[in-house]
Amino acid sequence: MNYTEGNRENPYTFDDYLLVRDNYNYYSDDDFLKSLIRKYVGNEFTAIDKELTALSKYVSFRWREFANTANELENHLKVTRVKHYDAHNHRIDRIERCTETEILENEIFSLGLFDPDRNTPWSRFCIMFLLYQNGEAGVMCPIACTHGLIWLMQKYEESLSKETQNILERVRKGKNGIYEIGAQFVSEIQGGSDVPANLVEAVFEESEGQDGISNCWRLYGQKFFCSAVHADYALVTAKPKGVSSSTRIAAFVVPSWLPGNKNKEIRNSYTIDRLKPKLGTAELPTAEITYNGAVAYPIGPLEKGLADVVGIVLSLSRLHVAFGMAAGALRVVREATLYSQFRTAFGVPISSFPLMLNQIEDLNKFAKRSAAGAFKVYSEFIHFGEKLITGIRELEKISDLDDRKRRFRLRELIMLQKIVVADETPKMIRKAISFFGGHGVMEDFLSLPRLHRDSMIMELWEGPRNVLLTQIHRDFQRVKDWYDPRDFVKDLLDGMNNELIEDYANKFEEIVSFDNLLKNDEITKRICRDWEDFSNNLFIAYQEQALKEVDYEETPIKFSKLLRNFKKKI
Ligand SMILES: Cc1cc2nc3c(=O)[nH]c(=O)nc-3n(C[C@H](O)[C@H](O)[C@H](O)COP(=O)(O)OP(=O)(O)OC[C@H]3O[C@@H](n4cnc5c(N)ncnc54)[C@H](O)[C@@H]3O)c2cc1C
């Protein structure tokens, strides 16, 4: 130990840590991420490697700084503001955000992620994965929502009206280099989990409205959680009046401004009533809104809205939630581990204490298995041409049983991954924060507090844990004639030790053989508790197998080596 005399000129500095942390290139310096990408993208690797190498200079430095600046406390005031009226008493409901967030959004959307002429499925995924290392940052939720909107519209591309074709073109391929943005408004005040209980009405009106439009659907009612409310379009669920499916949910795309009105700030007959002050994703405006006759265009058959929205739009968002957090975890764990090697206590680096060594190991494994699992699940999505099937009934139309089972596994994996990664990430970030001691909760010292707040939100949106656990369990009741739960586990964990697979298969069979999780009695409570624990264990086993398949030879990150290298470079 190095006990010295007091020194009023305390020379302590964090500069070496900052030098390493802030010069680290998220892609070029991360051999693990490269190995993961190499394993999955096949012969696209050369092209994707080149693209990520160039893009990572923006993501790791310029865009990281924008995300940090937007998160400064004084900017929070700017990022959650709605201006309801202009100076001349016109209702405009203008969303005002921090300039850095706006630049970030423009630059990221200009990548044309969903433009088939600019990206392949794998390049799109790898870019999004890299971007998520900066957290949600006020941009990635709109990216996820735009993804969902485009994918749903693509499903019905052949039958889209002229207006909706035009909308699809603008969000997917852009116009004059500007790619427009989508949002999704499903949740209402009475509940977000129970979408069929939505009350927003859609009415087909022949007469001409004040906006000059006739013979169109119009929406009336309130939506209570509207993220990315600054977007150009929203995918909205509503119940259509006067049709045989009037009690069922339909899906509509609703422009925020009718053509020619965006510059005039005349919204499409709806008001933004209030912005919500949130714990996380604070750079992103989430609002409560009221439709007063907004022009809305149906997407797909009216009676299929619920299946389409849940099966395509929410499933895609669930993928985003999980791979986004997995990407963020790589950064969180890296920054915490580097700090633990830089920081000393009692004369030694804190990373040398056995208690810390275990924690570093846990975090490292968590981040890598989450990333590997995310790539493996997404590779299944890509295997099916990035197309999702909307429900069990559709699935049962697939005659090839192997194919049907594989599709079913993807459906279940998307839900499982979402709940497990969303459950683990806040705990893991909290642990990573503890490496920094008191500095860990200082907003201007590091990004982990922001990422931690964001991770809390991920648990809640796009299907809270209980809702998805119930859904997965119910799915197994519905497919039991053609997919034995034991076979499901065996197929899912293929490649793992057979004894372990047997254990998992036994446990899962026991849980699924209990046919109803909605009874309020002791035995159901016990099964529910088992299911909660088991769902985590099962998906973590899948992630571990995915990590093994990457065949990555671990070379632990070394603060001193990076410091030497970056100093030389500078
Ligand atoms: C920051 C943020 C942004 C959001 N942005 C959007 C958005 O842009 N668009 C949008 O449509 N929504 C959005 N949401 C809403 C989100 O999707 C809902 O909060 C979510 O669907 C849950 O709905 P709820 O809040 O009404 O909770 P409730 O539905 O009231 O659920 C409350 C609790 O009951 C549990 N529960 C419900 N059903 C069951 C069941 N069958 N079995 C066991 N437990 C159950 C749930 O797990 C949950 O824990 C956002 C939410 C947040 C926090």
Side-chain angles (χ1 to χ4, degrees):
M1 269 178 228
N2 182 19
Y3 291 118
T4 59
E5 287 189 356
N7 177 1
R8 69 183 63 188
E9 307 294 337
N10 188 336
Y12 194 83
T13 165
F14 291 107
D15 289 355
D16 280 352
Y17 173 65
L18 297 180
L19 190 139
V20 172
R21 185 192 71 181
D22 296 345
N23 280 287
Y24 191 94
N25 184 310
Y26 297 170
Y27 179 68
S28 307
D29 292 321
D30 189 342
D31 289 339
F32 171 71
L33 181 56
K34 277 193 190 160
S35 306
L36 197 50
I37 291 175
R38 186 181 279 114
K39 168 173 170 52
Y40 279 99
V41 306
N43 54 16
E44 278 189 70
F45 182 71
T46 310
I48 290 180
D49 178 59
K50 195 167 157 213
E51 189 164 5
L52 291 183
T53 304
L55 188 71
S56 191
K57 292 185 186 137
Y58 288 86
V59 186
S60 316
F61 307 114
R62 177 180 167 84
W63 293 349
R64 182 199 65 205
E65 278 314 300
F66 283 152
N68 286 348
T69 308
N71 185 53
E72 285 169 10
L73 290 180
E74 53 273 31
N75 283 333
H76 276 193
L77 290 175
K78 290 189 216 161
V79 296
T80 49
R81 263 199 340 214
V82 53
K83 189 171 181 174
H84 291 297
Y85 286 91
D86 71 4
H88 307 106
N89 202 31
H90 301 116
R91 179 103 195 204
I92 51 171
D93 288 342
R94 180 192 300 161
I95 299 295
E96 294 183 337
R97 294 178 299 155
C98 180
T99 311
E100 283 77 4
T101 308
E102 286 184 346
I103 300 174
L104 194 58
E105 184 174 84
N106 285 340
E107 294 188 359
I108 290 178
F109 269 84
S110 75
L111 299 172
L113 281 170
F114 310 111
D115 184 342
D117 297 336
R118 296 186 58 189
N119 275 292
T120 66
W122 274 119
S123 75
R124 170 169 38 254
F125 176 67
C126 294
I127 292 173
M128 293 192 296
F129 194 87
L130 194 67
L131 291 170
Y132 270 115
Q133 292 213 20
N134 284 331
E136 194 285 321
V139 180
M140 297 315 286
C141 167
I143 288 280
C145 294
T146 307
H147 199 172
L149 176 67
I150 294 174
W151 256 239
L152 181 56
M153 293 177 90
Q154 278 179 173
K155 176 175 175 186
Y156 294 107
E157 193 159 358
E158 306 290 296
S159 57
L160 290 178
S161 64
K162 202 166 85 254
E163 291 88 352
T164 36
Q165 263 170 16
N166 194 19
I167 293 171
L168 176 59
E169 190 72 7
R170 285 164 177 267
V171 283
R172 186 170 61 182
K173 292 200 156 186
K175 191 158 188 197
N176 305 325
I178 309 269
Y179 290 84
E180 294 191 328
I181 299 174
Q184 57 196 48
F185 305 157
V186 177
S187 305
E188 298 184 5
I189 190 166
Q190 72 279 5
S193 310
D194 187 2
V195 181
N198 269 191
L199 288 175
V200 164
E201 290 177 13
V203 183
F204 191 84
E205 292 180 359
E206 288 176 358
S207 56
E208 187 174 301
Q210 279 183 354
D211 46 31
I213 299 188
S214 52
N215 290 309
C216 66
W217 287 94
R218 291 184 184 272
L219 300 191
Y220 296 89
Q222 198 184 27
K223 289 284 175 187
F224 212 59
F225 277 98
C226 304
S227 290
V229 73
H230 60 289
D232 300 283
Y233 308 98
L235 174 80
V236 185
T237 48
K239 293 215 173 115
K241 289 267 178 210
V243 296
S244 56
S245 62
S246 62
T247 56
R248 291 164 69 183
I249 296 294
F252 295 86
V253 59
V254 182
S256 301
W257 302 272
L258 291 172
N261 282 349
K262 186 171 180 178
N263 285 344
K264 296 185 214 152
E265 298 189 89
I266 302 171
R267 290 201 175 259
N268 174 15
S269 299
Y270 72 99
T271 51
I272 299 176
D273 307 329
R274 190 176 89 97
L275 290 190
K276 289 178 175 301
K278 293 175 286 172
L279 174 73
T281 65
E283 303 83 337
L284 182 83
T286 298
E288 294 157 16
I289 71 172
T290 304
Y291 288 113
N292 303 303
V295 175
Y297 306 105
I299 312 181
L302 293 173
E303 68 283 2
K304 291 228 161 118
L306 184 66
D308 280 339
V309 169
V310 176
I312 297 177
V313 182
L314 302 194
S315 292
L316 263 172
S317 299
R318 286 169 190 162
L319 279 168
H320 272 260
V321 164
F323 74 73
M325 280 190 291
L330 288 181
R331 173 173 170 203
V332 165
V333 172
R334 178 173 67 237
E335 293 190 359
T337 306
L338 289 171
Y339 187 80
S340 71
Q341 295 174 9
F342 155 79
R343 183 76 163 176
T344 57
F346 303 99
V348 291
I350 57 171
S351 62
S352 60
F353 296 117
L355 283 166
M356 285 290 287
L357 282 170
N358 283 341
Q359 290 159 10
I360 293 168
E361 203 178 295
D362 290 350
L363 282 180
N364 183 39
K365 263 205 197 134
F366 153 73
K368 292 205 165 77
R369 66 173 160 75
S370 301
F375 269 74
K376 190 168 173 176
V377 173
Y378 208 88
S379 74
E380 286 298 289
F381 175 54
I382 290 183
H383 168 83
F384 287 113
E386 296 180 291
K387 288 203 173 89
L388 292 162
I389 288 217
T390 47
I392 303 280
R393 226 175 281 149
E394 286 293 305
L395 208 75
E396 287 178 338
K397 290 182 188 156
I398 301 172
S399 52
D400 181 319
L401 193 57
D402 287 340
D403 199 41
R404 190 198 299 173
K405 285 180 174 175
R406 190 167 176 179
R407 277 220 170 254
F408 178 75
R409 285 199 296 281
L410 173 60
R411 173 185 164 92
E412 304 308 304
L413 274 171
I414 290 174
M415 290 190 273
L416 262 178
Q417 173 173 243
K418 195 268 174 182
I419 54 178
V420 175
V421 180
D423 183 51
E424 282 202 292
T425 308
K427 291 182 219 161
M428 291 296 179
I429 302 183
R430 202 194 63 199
K431 191 178 283 203
I433 283 176
S434 77
F435 286 22
F436 293 83
H439 304 295
V441 292
M442 299 305 154
E443 297 274 348
D444 49 359
F445 193 94
L446 72 176
S447 302
L448 271 55
R450 170 171 66 89
L451 298 174
H452 188 236
R453 285 195 306 275
D454 285 4
S455 72
M456 298 280 293
I457 306 299
M458 301 308 166
E459 212 279 294
L460 304 171
W461 79 303
E462 304 307 21
R465 185 174 175 79
N466 293 346
V467 175
L468 296 190
L469 282 171
T470 310
Q471 178 69 53
I472 297 169
H473 191 272
R474 194 183 305 130
D475 279 0
F476 278 92
Q477 309 307 315
R478 293 181 63 192
V479 305
K480 63 180 171 212
D481 289 344
W482 51 267
Y483 210 169
D484 184 297
R486 301 182 65 83
D487 291 343
F488 173 83
V489 170
K490 286 178 191 163
D491 294 340
L492 199 73
L493 301 182
D494 186 32
M496 243 177 81
N497 170 303
N498 281 340
E499 266 177 46
L500 278 177
I501 294 182
E502 273 301 308
D503 288 349
Y504 282 107
N506 291 340
K507 188 73 202 166
F508 192 46
E509 187 179 36
E510 185 195 328
I511 292 168
V512 173
S513 66
F514 194 82
D515 64 355
N516 182 353
L517 294 189
L518 300 176
K519 277 187 250 155
N520 193 344
D521 56 25
E522 284 310 310
I523 176 148
T524 313
K525 276 167 66 189
R526 183 181 64 75
I527 294 285
C528 283
R529 201 182 286 284
D530 284 356
W531 179 211
E532 265 218 82
D533 293 343
F534 179 76
S535 59
N536 273 28
N537 296 340
L538 179 66
F539 191 71
I540 289 171
Y542 175 86
Q543 291 176 324
E544 282 171 351
Q545 177 58 26
L547 182 56
K548 219 162 81 191
E549 288 164 9
V550 181
D551 204 16
Y552 169 71
E553 203 174 312
E554 180 85 43
T555 42
I557 194 163
K558 279 267 180 301
F559 176 78
S560 51
K561 188 172 157 204
L562 286 171
L563 182 64
R564 260 195 324 274
N565 288 351
F566 291 150
K567 272 189 171 164
K568 239 190 270 166
K569 236 198 261 175
I570 291 164

